Amino acid sequence: DIQMTQSPSSLSASVGDTVTISCRASQSISNYLSWYQQKPGKAPKVLIYGATSLHTAVPSRFSGSGSGTDFTLTIRGLQPEDFATYFCQQGYSTPTFGQGTKVEIK
Amino acid sequence: QEHLVQSGSEVKSPGASVKVSCKTSGYNFYDNYIYWFRQAPGQGLEWMGWVTPRNGGANYAQKFRDRVTLTRDTAISIAYMELSGLKSDDTAVYYCARYVLGVGKDYFDQWGQGTLVTVSS
């Protein structure tokens, strides 16, 4: 299985901040990388697919970059509803997820 | 509006089996694979397998191959996940998700609300 390693595991930020979350694959996955947001007690919601494509109705403050093994999710102008846990997921082979990054209010 | 709605929480004894349903609506059931994942408390997501509604074909993660069965009923657009030989570390929230595959697209766009399965004696 391809291992996905996210960093940091948690971070504290304020409304309006820019936040960056990293995800590294154990081997090259081209651009088969998606990002999900999950709130407590809820199912994940897709934000980004194909490493850089914004899913329908996702605000433009979310963006993704990277290819190969290193990827980044950036949230510019953090909003109160963005405090959640974020996961990366590779689709190059059978799906695997990062362990998550919890974004908390500072 | 596409929806996936799962069956309710379950409490099972060790060694028992559980069957979780995932009712789909708002789209052509045949068009998308259904994947199953689980999430143990405070943990990440773990892939269990997928089923293709078109012919019922399934593929399972090695970890679950001996214990999980994925099926579907096309007449009522429902996918099922049955896990046998339950152990305490099978306690988790189980999710179904719709898989989108296309040019430049490879992701899970609709998810069930999750089903908590608790294994306890």
Side-chain angles (χ1 to χ4, degrees):
Chain A
D1 289 358
I2 297 175
Q3 307 302 314
M4 306 300 291
T5 304
Q6 278 183 243
S7 60
S9 56
S10 66
L11 63 90
S12 296
S14 300
V15 172
D17 283 353
T18 293
V19 163
T20 298
I21 299 169
S22 297
C23 179
R24 174 166 288 177
S26 60
Q27 66 181 74
S28 177
I29 57 170
S30 184
N31 67 336
Y32 290 92
L33 191 283
S34 302
W35 289 98
Y36 297 83
Q37 177 194 70
Q38 187 178 33
K39 296 183 178 179
K42 301 294 187 182
K45 289 185 177 180
V46 63
L47 302 172
I48 302 281
Y49 63 90
T52 60
S53 297
L54 204 63
H55 190 246
T56 306
V58 173
S60 58
R61 62 181 178 272
F62 292 91
S63 64
S65 63
S67 67
T69 60
D70 292 303
F71 302 87
T72 300
L73 173 70
T74 301
I75 312 172
R76 291 187 168 81
L78 202 64
Q79 295 300 300
E81 60 268 28
D82 300 337
F83 292 96
T85 299
Y86 294 85
F87 294 96
C88 59
Q89 174 251 320
Q90 63 80 20
Y92 186 82
S93 64
T94 54
T96 51
F97 292 79
Q99 279 303 104
T101 296
K102 186 173 184 180
V103 177
E104 299 175 299
I105 300 174
K106 183 183 284 184
Chain B
Q1 190 80 350
E2 301 119 340
H3 289 293
L4 278 65
V5 178
Q6 296 181 222
S7 49
S9 298
E10 303 262 13
V11 179
K12 295 291 183 181
S13 298
S17 297
V18 68
K19 190 170 186 177
V20 178
S21 66
C22 173
K23 179 161 178 56
T24 72
S25 61
Y27 74 98
N28 187 338
F29 184 58
Y30 290 100
D31 283 352
N32 301 83
Y33 284 29
I34 296 292
Y35 277 61
W36 288 87
F37 301 93
R38 75 178 188 182
Q39 188 172 36
Q43 302 300 309
L45 290 145
E46 182 176 32
W47 172 66
M48 300 180 69
W50 53 252
V51 62
T52 172
R54 195 163 290 276
N55 60 16
N59 187 32
Y60 304 110
Q62 180 68 37
K63 177 178 179 177
F64 300 103
R65 193 152 293 163
D66 294 337
R67 298 197 294 136
V68 71
T69 304
L70 302 182
T71 57
R72 92 284 187 239
D73 186 333
T74 56
I76 52 175
S77 302
I78 293 182
Y80 300 95
M81 185 282 297
E82 184 169 22
L83 186 64
S84 62
L86 289 169
K87 301 168 280 189
S88 58
D89 60 4
D90 290 320
T91 294
V93 176
Y94 290 76
Y95 292 102
C96 59
R98 186 177 81 160
Y99 179 54
V100 174
L101 178 64
V103 176
K105 297 182 178 182
D106 177 343
Y107 59 92
F108 304 98
D109 72 332
Q110 297 291 333
W111 293 69
Q113 81 277 20
T115 297
L116 174 62
V117 175
T118 303
V119 183
S120 173
S121 54

